[in-house]
Every structure is written in structure tokens, then in C-alpha cells.
Amino acid sequence: VTDIAIDLEGQLRSGSIELLQIGMGGEPSKNEKERRIIIFDLLTIQKCESLLKDVKVFLRNLLGDEKISKTFQDCRTDSKALHRYLNSCPKGIFDISAAEILVSTLRIYVENQKIIDCPDPDNNNDDAIQKVMRKCEDIKWPGLNDILLKYNATHGLNIYKNKMKKMFGTPEHRPYFLARPIEHDYLHYSAQDVQDLVEVKYKMLNVIEALLN
């Protein structure tokens, strides 16, 4: 395995990870049947101290292996949570949200290349350059479904995203996320968050390469 997708669920800002999802497959050289999703129910695993210790060693080695690319969707909070939970940081990260910001910035550059690279000494085009810079500053941080839609992900949008987003952070819904067995919609939501990330990563790399050339 050289490419995996990672996502977390839980009270991440406080370092409490309840689920850790790993998505495998989606590379151009692999077919659909080779896709796999593994979900570690850390909330349940932590009830067995010896098992939790072994799982943490496994995850620490996996996430620290620089030969394996880890694709995240906005890894800012996840990486901090993993650092608190495992006392180590993941290496070899590809963040599709950050990559999409790069793609949008490169598109603006390509569209305005003449203004940026060949300023007219006879005409003050500072205003035009400022407009280009403002376009870059106005780029919004993309959500997962925005990216899945744009890059035509094989399994489409995460259809549970809006429902879960409304429930996250609401105290009365905490029992839903803590229930075991894991609730059907929550389990599928968690799986869909990593299902197509590796595929999207390679599509993004193709777009970035085309823009740079």
C-alpha cells in the first residue's frame, strides 16, 4: 500500500478521537474492486488497555511511514488531534482542501498571466494587479462535497454530510455518536468521507500539472 486516505471523528479539538477511518484504493492503476475502507472504533477499543496500546503502535507506525501517502480533507484539526492522541504527527500528507486552494490560485494566475508577468511600463497597471491579488484572497476554503462534485468522484457526494453537520457539536445528539453498535447513517457518513479521497488526489495532481505546463 502506497496511498491511503485518513479521516477522524470525535471531539477532535480536545484530542478525543472516537473513530479513525482509512480508505484504500482509487489510484489510476487499480480497479474499483480493490477499494477498501477500514474503520477503527477507538471508543470501543479503548476499553481494552492492551488492545488500545497495540492499535496505537500500529497507527503511529502507519502514519509515520513517509513511503505511504496520506490523503486528508483539511488536515488542520485532524493532525493536531492525532498528535495529542498518538504523541506523533502524520508524515507524507496530501491535503485535498489545500490542493484545491492551489488549483484555484493557479487558475487565476493562468487567466491573468500577461498582467502579472508582463506589466506595461507605459501604463500603470497596479490596479489590475491588485484586482488579481484580491481574487486570490477571496478564494474560499472548500468543503468535501464541493471537491467530490468538482472532480466527479466515483461514488458521488457524501449524502449524510448535511445531517451530521447539523448534529455535531449539539449536546443532545452526543448519545447518537456514542451509541454502539455505531448508528447506520453515522457509519456510512464516516466511510464516505474517505471513500474517494485517493482518487480525487490523483485527479487533482493531473489538473495541477496541466496548469503548471
Side-chain angles (χ1 to χ4, degrees), residues 24-178:
M24 295 179 290
E27 301 95 320
S29 60
K30 294 187 176 181
N31 61 45
E32 178 63 22
K33 293 182 179 179
E34 295 181 80
R35 296 205 193 203
R36 297 288 185 274
I37 298 170
I38 300 171
I39 298 180
F40 288 86
D41 181 2
L42 297 176
L43 189 65
T44 299
I45 290 171
Q46 70 185 11
K47 295 178 181 178
C48 177
E49 188 175 342
S50 60
L51 178 59
L52 178 62
K53 183 178 178 180
D54 289 342
V55 168
K56 281 190 173 184
V57 170
F58 169 77
L59 292 175
R60 196 176 291 119
N61 291 336
L62 175 69
L63 296 173
D65 189 340
E66 296 184 24
K67 295 179 182 178
I68 301 176
S69 173
K70 296 94 184 172
T71 302
F72 286 77
Q73 191 268 323
D74 191 355
C75 72
R76 294 173 294 180
T77 301
D78 286 1
S79 60
K80 290 179 182 178
L82 286 167
H83 182 266
R84 293 192 191 98
Y85 192 79
L86 299 173
N87 197 30
S88 66
C89 292
K91 298 178 181 178
I93 289 174
F94 185 94
D95 188 329
I96 64 169
S97 292
E100 180 58 17
I101 296 291
L102 174 61
V103 168
S104 298
T105 303
L106 286 173
R107 287 193 189 282
I108 291 171
Y109 171 77
V110 170
E111 292 166 1
N112 298 275
Q113 192 169 0
K114 289 184 179 180
I115 296 173
I116 297 170
D117 290 350
C118 305
D120 186 348
D122 298 323
N123 296 297
N124 187 349
N125 65 344
D126 287 350
D127 288 345
I129 293 176
Q130 289 296 323
K131 287 181 180 179
V132 173
M133 293 176 64
R134 281 195 292 272
K135 286 182 181 179
C136 294
E137 293 170 357
D138 289 341
I139 295 172
K140 299 291 189 294
W141 198 265
L144 175 62
N145 275 343
D146 298 325
I147 294 173
L148 295 176
L149 178 63
K150 179 176 178 180
Y151 290 89
N152 193 28
T154 296
H155 297 95
L157 306 183
N158 186 335
I159 61 173
Y160 301 98
K161 182 67 74 174
N162 289 336
K163 175 183 177 179
M164 296 300 154
K165 188 175 181 180
K166 291 176 182 177
M167 295 171 67
F168 285 141
T170 308
E172 59 264 31
H173 287 123
R174 279 300 290 157
Y176 175 88
F177 296 110
L178 298 175

